[in-house]
Amino acid sequence: MEHIYDTVIEEKDYGRVLLNVKEIMDKKGINRNMLARLAGIRFEVANRLYTGNIYRLDLDVLARVLHVLQCSVEDIIQYEPANK
């Protein structure tokens, strides 16, 4: 009898999502403190968006950031397909 622990899970590369928040903020002269204050988010969240070190993104936070930066989703989120 095969146990679930005996099977090997294959890890797949689905590509990755890149954030261009830093580039837009720098271009518009908005720093992390300003983004946090204007979007009503914590500095830590603004910092993670700026550095691209984020794994989950709340859609409400995304909407706030888009509003503050006056840009669209396509401007700040980019999908990079996996190398095949």
Side-chain angles (χ1 to χ4, degrees), residues 4 6-14 84:
I4 192 164
D6 295 335
T7 62
V8 175
I9 298 174
E10 182 181 338
E11 187 175 314
K12 295 188 179 194
D13 186 2
Y14 296 105
K84 295 200 178 206

Side-chain angles (χ1 to χ4, degrees), residues 15-30:
R16 61 188 186 148
V17 174
L18 305 170
L19 295 178
N20 299 319
V21 176
K22 178 186 185 308
E23 290 80 8
I24 294 172
M25 287 174 61
D26 290 348
K27 190 165 125 178
K28 295 188 179 231
I30 296 175

Side-chain angles (χ1 to χ4, degrees), residues 10-61:
E10 182 181 338
E11 187 175 314
K12 295 188 179 194
D13 186 2
Y14 296 105
R16 61 188 186 148
V17 174
L18 305 170
L19 295 178
N20 299 319
V21 176
K22 178 186 185 308
E23 290 80 8
I24 294 172
M25 287 174 61
D26 290 348
K27 190 165 125 178
K28 295 188 179 231
I30 296 175
N31 64 37
R32 290 170 275 192
N33 283 319
M34 290 172 65
L35 179 65
R37 189 177 72 250
L38 295 171
I41 59 177
R42 294 185 352 222
F43 176 83
E44 292 81 9
V45 174
N47 188 52
R48 285 183 176 267
L49 288 167
Y50 186 82
T51 61
N53 186 20
I54 195 161
Y55 299 98
R56 288 184 231 162
L57 184 56
D58 183 300
L59 293 178
D60 183 59
V61 169

